[in-house]
Amino acid sequence: MYSKCSQQYWSDRKQRSGTALRFVFVFMAATVSLAIFAVSLHSSRRDDNHQGRKLEPRLHPNPTEGQTKKCKEHFRSIQNDCSIICNEERHSIPRQTMHQACMHGCNIAYKQASEIACSGGTNDDLFNKVEVFSFNHCSKFQNVLPKPEVFSLCRKYHTLALDKGFTLGQHYLLDQIIDFD
């Protein structure tokens, strides 16, 4: 008596799950199709807006010697952002060592990167003149315990300071050029 009921129940159940799966598949296909249509419609509108207009590159004049000098003096005289960048490392254990390694790597890289940017240097100049020497700049911490962490921390913040110093140097110099015009 019960065996026929359970067989009938499970056969009905299998038939229902097949239809539910088909419904989910159709719904997903419709959603993907709608998303593709929306993206293609958006991109065609954007292409229509820019059609016929040529984008001209912005040319910046070369900095004068006075502007370059003022930029370099600005980054020599101000307190750089290394104290802010290395603030997290004040609480790393061992505290004094980690913070010193961070400040050492950061200060050297920040000053050199901002000077290269103030001279009108490029990213290639930055890489060739400073980033290659991160190993040498941080070699002081190579044998300090905890051994690999302190050295790698110095190099990590050396790289962060390169990016920050170079970017700020470029922006300061660009502001000087724009204000000059």
Side-chain angles (χ1 to χ4, degrees):
M1 172 173 155
Y2 291 110
S3 66
K4 288 185 180 179
C5 291
S6 65
Q7 287 176 352
Q8 185 180 7
Y9 171 79
W10 286 111
S11 67
D12 288 344
R13 182 86 174 150
K14 286 180 185 177
Q15 290 174 355
R16 288 183 192 157
S17 67
T19 58
L21 186 61
R22 278 188 234 127
F23 176 73
V24 168
F25 178 72
V26 169
F27 178 74
M28 292 297 287
T31 305
V32 169
S33 301
L34 185 62
I36 291 171
F37 177 72
V39 168
S40 65
L41 182 64
H42 178 69
S43 66
S44 68
R45 283 185 183 170
R46 188 176 55 196
D47 291 341
D48 291 343
N49 290 341
H50 293 294
Q51 197 172 20
R53 269 196 265 162
K54 291 183 180 179
L55 297 176
E56 297 177 15
R58 291 180 58 187
L59 299 175
H60 300 292
N62 292 329
T64 63
E65 191 174 315
Q67 292 169 335
T68 303
K69 186 177 178 183
K70 187 175 181 181
C71 181
K72 286 181 180 181
E73 287 175 6
H74 173 75
F75 283 101
R76 272 189 222 124
S77 64
I78 66 163
Q79 176 67 29
N80 62 30
D81 292 340
C82 288
S83 58
I84 296 168
I85 293 171
C86 293
N87 194 31
E88 285 182 20
E89 298 307 324
R90 286 182 182 264
H91 308 294
S92 297
I93 296 177
R95 289 189 179 122
Q96 191 69 21
T97 306
M98 295 299 235
H99 188 254
Q100 284 175 352
C102 178
M103 289 297 288
H104 181 76
C106 185
N107 279 324
I108 289 174
Y110 190 90
K111 288 176 186 173
Q112 290 178 345
S114 61
E115 283 185 14
I116 290 172
C118 287
S119 300
T122 62
N123 284 331
D124 292 334
D125 295 334
L126 180 69
F127 179 77
N128 292 333
K129 293 179 181 173
V130 182
E131 191 169 356
V132 175
F133 300 111
S134 70
F135 184 86
N136 293 339
H137 292 165
C138 295
S139 64
K140 170 182 175 180
F141 296 98
Q142 197 167 14
N143 292 321
V144 176
L145 295 175
K147 211 167 194 177
E149 287 87 8
V150 177
F151 180 64
S152 64
L153 181 99
C154 179
R155 292 186 69 186
K156 171 186 167 186
Y157 284 101
H158 186 275
T159 305
L160 281 171
L162 277 177
D163 295 337
K164 184 129 180 136
F166 188 73
T167 303
L168 290 176
Q170 283 182 326
H171 288 290
Y172 187 83
L173 186 62
L174 187 60
D175 289 343
Q176 292 294 317
I177 292 171
I178 291 171
D179 288 344
F180 183 72
D181 294 338

